[in-house]
Amino acid sequence: MPTNTPDPTDLLSLIELPEDLRRMPKRQLVNVAAQLRAQLIDSVAQTGGHLAANLGVIELTVALHYIFNTPDDRLVWDVGHQAYGHKMLTGRRAAMANLRMRDGLSGFTRRSESAFDAFGAGHSSTSISAALGMAVAAQLRGESRRAVAIIGDGALTAGQAFEALNHAGELQSDLLVVLNDNEMSISRNVGALTDHLTRLRSNPMINRLRQGGQTLLAHGGPLGELLNTTRVGLRDGVKHMLGVTSLFEELGFQYFGPIDGHDLPALVDTLQNLREQTGPRLLHVVTQKGKGFNAAERDPVRYHGVGKFDPKIEPKPTIAGTPAKTWTQAFSDWLTHQAENPEIVVITPAMIEGSGLADFAQRHPTRCFDVGIAEQHAVTFAGGLAAEGLRPVVAIYSTFLQRAWDQVIHDIALQNLPVLFAVDRAGLVGPDGATHAGSFDLAFGQAVPNLRLAVPADEHELKTALDLGIRFDTPVLVRYPRGDCPADLGGEPPATPFGLRVRRPAETPNQSLLIVALGSKVRAALQASENLPATVVDLRWAKPIDWDALTPLIRAHAGWMIVEEGSKLGGIGATLIATAAEHGLYRPVQHLALPDFFIEHGTRGECLADGGLDVDGLHSRMSDFLRQILPASSVSQ
């Protein structure tokens, strides 16, 4: 149940846009925040979505829109999954009923959705770079608008955030960074930066010394004036001596805080003062993830993402909500059985729970490394471990691996280091939409020498691929989708470890269609072709491709079709067709894959239907193709 009881007056009904909020007296803002929190809980209960992160920034959201002249002043939310309150205050409160649904609001900020969404988000650690670009653009155009980046301490662990801080400190542009410090990303934060923020949060002596030191410098007569106007040397030496510096000051920012991120009057006053200042400045705000909902406060990791629930009782959410065993759980089971091998180490970029590593991390904490939101570091760190003879497993979502392909190529594949990539959420993901879709790993990966690509279709093949990958002396990428994982789809066993597998043969191949399916599309192809004359082949490995077995199958059938849940341009099907042509295998062929546009958020089924990759869509395309290559009497419906 919410811990904040809103005022009986319905203040939110008076707020359509932030300009309405700014007309309210300051004394009403606490009640506005309480009502916004209560309504947000009710809204997410109806749709599901990101809960804990949004609850933690309610007061900050109200204060930002109260002080800054949005949308003329630019608010750039990092990641964007904490921007539900922002959406509700910017004309989209009624539309929250369709959050993350087809044709409804995105779960993240999106420029095409509202003028108040200054920059699209989805992945972390981009806000400071984007806001700095906006600040520089305003300066070049002679405009007085403000640029504000709101970033969490989890997102601040990524290298891009530090690159932006470093550049902003050099440019001395008019930029405000609000650091929302809740000690969390999705999992608990890790690393030296977290320790630094903890010291700033928890040491009242530092805060008193900071305030006293600044007062001394400001009122110290000629000596104080000298120290205050000297950019380096004596002034910085005194500040170091007094213990009043922070990492951010070393990067050229004025640092303010930490302050209580749930003290709305203090937030409003502080932001008002900072709005009148110029140059790069950072406000350190301490918040509680899940604030105002008891269960989310107690367990913010579990309540990061929730399904629909009854807000009057404690919900029982899961990150991937299906009663069957998921692919993530199947990977977790495999890892548990491998855990006694002391050479196996596991690396993840801030996704312990999401990647199914919690059990391994608890049993073997010295061999499980959560590196924070630092995908590039995760990959090269794994390379260093592999260079010393260990067997690293990088557990990562496909969409997040996109940030580290340079490291996969340069630091792993070029040196042919035995790193196993366990790539979750490959293909379409549904409600999280285009920012989280794993559409490109096959297209990227097949172009990288030395890298082998496994596309398992069921739990048996997943574990087989992982068993091979952890032993193989070259990098291996095993990709698997979100959702339930079939145990074993049956069929003939492969002839070789990297061989394809005939899942269902046709009785008369020369009057049938050969369907070559990859990964998640094997089960769909079996279902779609159940009453059609077709042989269904599970490719199993997208690289290397088992041409010894595939070539005679192509020759034996009237035509063939490739089905994959990855990008059509540069996909495995494109490679298969080109290579077959080079080998003189001229048979009618079609390639079904993800089209050359970003598929919008919706259910996973809706997203697959957009690409023609759901069972109905596949059946229709198979039937149409069979009519083209066979006599009509040979095709049954």
Side-chain angles (χ1 to χ4, degrees):
M1 293 288 290
T3 58
N4 292 339
T5 303
D7 185 274
T9 304
D10 184 5
L11 297 175
L12 290 184
S13 66
L14 305 176
I15 303 171
E16 176 62 22
L17 295 171
E19 61 192 54
D20 303 317
L21 174 69
R22 291 191 282 270
R23 283 193 288 265
M24 288 184 169
K26 191 190 304 185
R27 65 178 182 276
Q28 289 186 319
L29 295 184
V30 171
N31 285 329
V32 169
Q35 291 179 14
L36 186 63
R37 176 173 280 113
Q39 192 167 117
L40 188 146
I41 292 170
D42 289 339
S43 179
V44 175
Q46 298 300 313
T47 64
H50 293 99
L51 181 62
N54 281 286
L55 294 177
V57 297
I58 290 295
E59 287 81 8
L60 179 58
T61 302
V62 171
L64 285 167
H65 279 293
Y66 191 74
I67 293 302
F68 288 93
N69 185 32
T70 55
D72 188 58
D73 287 338
R74 312 302 199 208
L75 299 185
V76 182
W77 297 88
D78 209 281
V79 183
H81 63 208
Q82 79 285 47
Y84 293 4
H86 159 80
K87 290 175 183 269
M88 293 169 73
L89 292 176
T90 55
R92 289 169 278 180
R93 190 156 51 93
M96 289 290 289
N98 294 316
L99 178 72
R100 291 162 32 104
M101 299 178 187
R102 177 50 48 94
D103 299 322
L105 292 182
S106 169
F108 306 95
T109 53
R110 188 172 184 179
R111 283 170 52 84
S112 61
E113 187 177 287
S114 171
F116 290 90
D117 290 359
F119 200 77
H123 289 192
S124 80
S125 315
T126 61
S127 61
I128 304 176
S129 297
L132 178 60
M134 294 171 185
V136 170
Q139 180 182 0
L140 292 174
R141 291 176 172 175
E143 298 168 344
S144 60
R145 64 167 49 101
R146 302 288 189 264
V148 183
I150 305 100
I151 186 169
D153 51 321
L156 202 63
T157 61
Q160 183 177 353
F162 281 94
E163 293 170 12
L165 287 170
N166 181 62
H167 192 204
E170 176 193 6
L171 293 179
Q172 287 294 296
S173 297
D174 185 10
L175 172 69
L176 172 62
V177 175
V178 178
L179 170 58
N180 173 34
D181 179 5
N182 60 18
E183 304 181 69
M184 299 287 295
S185 49
I186 295 175
S187 302
R188 290 284 177 185
N189 284 332
V190 295
L193 176 62
T194 296
D195 295 338
H196 178 71
L197 295 178
T198 299
R199 286 194 295 273
L200 292 174
R201 281 194 306 268
S202 62
N203 193 333
M205 180 63 72
I206 288 180
N207 289 324
R208 286 197 296 270
L209 284 172
R210 175 184 298 278
Q211 183 177 3
Q214 290 171 340
T215 301
L216 171 64
L217 293 173
H219 300 95
L223 176 60
E225 182 179 351
L226 172 64
L227 297 177
N228 242 340
T229 55
T230 304
R231 290 180 59 85
V232 293
L234 286 175
R235 184 190 65 177
D236 291 341
V238 171
K239 291 176 73 176
H240 276 290
M241 180 181 68
L242 293 171
V244 297
T245 62
S246 73
L247 169 66
F248 308 106
E249 288 171 326
E250 301 294 344
L251 290 171
F253 276 72
Q254 299 178 69
Y255 171 83
F256 302 89
I259 68 171
D260 182 355
H262 302 296
D263 185 342
L264 223 167
L267 278 174
V268 167
D269 291 344
T270 303
L271 288 171
Q272 180 62 57
N273 291 335
L274 291 178
R275 189 181 189 280
E276 304 308 317
Q277 298 187 29
T278 59
R281 51 220 189 274
L282 185 141
L283 174 62
H284 183 179
V285 174
V286 179
T287 62
Q288 181 179 12
K289 194 171 184 179
K291 177 72 172 177
F293 197 80
N294 291 333
E297 289 182 6
R298 291 193 302 268
D299 193 350
V301 174
R302 187 182 178 197
Y303 289 84
H304 172 77
V306 297
K308 298 178 182 180
F309 64 93
D310 183 348
K312 296 180 181 178
I313 61 175
E314 183 171 320
K316 304 293 184 184
T318 57
I319 292 176
T322 173
K325 177 181 283 191
T326 66
W327 287 91
T328 305
Q329 291 165 344
F331 165 70
S332 180
D333 291 346
W334 172 84
L335 189 61
T336 297
H337 285 100
Q338 297 289 324
E340 298 309 316
N341 181 349
E343 292 188 345
I344 292 179
V345 290
V346 182
I347 304 100
T348 187
M351 294 302 296
I352 289 286
E353 289 77 18
S355 293
L357 305 180
D359 182 69
F360 185 91
Q362 183 177 11
R363 294 171 183 264
H364 305 281
T366 62
R367 292 194 283 127
C368 187
F369 301 93
D370 183 349
V371 301
I373 303 175
E375 295 88 355
Q376 294 170 298
H377 166 63
V379 172
T380 306
F381 176 55
L385 291 165
E388 294 300 319
L390 295 177
R391 289 287 174 165
V393 179
V394 178
I396 190 169
Y397 286 9
S398 176
T399 184
F400 300 143
L401 181 62
Q402 291 166 187
R403 296 181 149 203
W405 275 104
D406 179 65
Q407 284 68 36
V408 173
I409 296 166
H410 185 275
D411 299 334
I412 306 301
L414 183 62
Q415 303 183 89
N416 208 22
L417 291 170
V419 175
L420 174 59
F421 295 92
V423 180
D424 202 338
R425 272 44 168 201
L428 300 175
V429 294
D432 282 338
T435 60
H436 282 59
S439 306
F440 308 110
D441 48 38
L442 290 175
F444 289 161
Q446 72 163 332
V448 180
N450 294 331
L451 180 64
R452 296 177 182 251
L453 306 177
V455 282
D458 55 34
E459 183 177 9
H460 172 76
E461 291 294 349
L462 173 67
K463 293 183 177 180
T464 299
L466 292 168
D467 283 342
L468 186 58
I470 200 66
R471 298 193 306 267
F472 210 69
D473 290 327
T474 195
V476 173
L477 186 153
V478 181
R479 58 109 66 175
Y480 44 94
R482 182 175 187 170
D484 63 296
C485 177
D488 190 337
L489 295 175
E492 301 174 6
T496 64
F498 293 102
L500 58 76
R501 186 175 181 183
V502 176
R503 293 289 188 171
R504 185 175 64 219
E507 293 183 2
T508 54
N510 66 330
Q511 293 295 309
S512 301
L513 175 65
L514 174 66
I515 302 169
V516 180
L518 284 74
S520 61
K521 295 298 96 185
V522 173
R523 176 166 58 171
L526 287 168
Q527 294 170 342
S529 65
E530 186 173 4
N531 298 317
L532 299 175
T535 294
V536 178
V537 166
D538 176 0
L539 199 59
R540 295 183 67 242
W541 288 84
K543 188 181 181 183
I545 292 169
D546 184 10
W547 282 106
D548 288 343
L550 185 58
T551 297
L553 286 168
I554 296 173
R555 293 188 187 280
H557 286 76
W560 60 306
M561 174 180 286
I562 306 113
V563 186
E564 62 180 303
E565 195 173 333
S567 172
K568 184 171 185 176
L569 296 181
I572 302 302
T575 298
L576 286 169
I577 293 169
T579 305
E582 289 177 356
H583 291 172
L585 297 174
Y586 299 113
R587 288 287 190 277
V589 61
Q590 285 195 3
H591 178 201
L592 308 187
L594 295 179
D596 187 26
F597 57 80
F598 292 109
I599 292 179
E600 299 297 337
H601 56 276
T603 66
R604 178 165 156 76
E606 289 171 335
C607 293
L608 287 170
D610 285 345
L613 296 179
D614 62 325
V615 172
D616 289 342
L618 291 176
H619 177 81
S620 177
R621 293 289 296 275
M622 291 171 185
S623 299
D624 290 345
F625 190 39
L626 280 164
R627 292 189 190 97
Q628 296 175 30
I629 62 177
L630 296 177
S633 60
S634 301
V635 183
S636 62
Q637 296 297 319

